[in-house]
Amino acid sequence: MSGASSRRKGADFERALVHRFREAMPEALIRRGLQYRTGQEVSDVEVPCFWVESKAHQRTNVREALRQAVETCPAGRWPLAVCKDDGQTPLVTMQLDDFLELVREWWEARPQ
C-alpha cells in the first residue's frame, strides 16, 4: 500500500472512531486529533477521559500501539489502543490496572 493510501486508510479509521464514540457519548466533544502535531501533544481521536491511539493495518501490532498510547498519555486519562486488522473487527486494548480502575469507577457510580 502506498504512503498516501496508508494515510487515507488511517484517517478513515479515525473518522469512523469519532462517529462510534459520538454514538456512545452524544454530549461529549469528540473529534480527530490535530494531525499536524505529534502524538505527544494530542491523541489520534480526542475523547474525554481517554487517550486514543488508533491503528488500521493489514496486521496491527497491538502491543506497540498500546505502548505508544501509554508513553504519550497525560495524567488523568486512560490510554487506549484501538486497532483494526484488515477485514476484522476493531479491538480496544488497555492495561489491566487501568481497566480495573475504570470498572471500579463505573461500579461505584451505578444506581443501587
Side-chain angles (χ1 to χ4, degrees), residues 3-75:
S5 295
S6 181
R7 284 188 299 276
R8 184 172 46 254
K9 181 177 174 181
D12 289 347
F13 183 52
E14 289 171 3
R15 280 189 285 277
L17 288 177
V18 167
H19 179 72
R20 297 289 305 271
F21 274 104
R22 283 180 180 165
E23 287 177 343
M25 305 165 75
E27 316 293 308
L29 173 61
I30 299 169
R31 60 185 179 192
R32 286 182 66 214
L34 301 174
Q35 300 306 300
Y36 58 86
R37 295 185 179 181
T38 67
Q40 298 285 343
E41 298 166 344
V42 66
S43 61
D44 290 339
V45 178
E46 295 182 26
V47 178
C49 74
F50 295 113
W51 187 264
V52 178
E53 182 65 35
S54 68
K55 301 290 182 193
H57 299 289
Q58 182 176 0
R59 184 172 293 138
T60 57
N61 184 336
V62 176
R63 288 188 179 276
E64 177 60 23
L66 183 58
R67 182 200 59 76
Q68 189 175 351
V70 168
E71 287 182 359
T72 59
C73 184

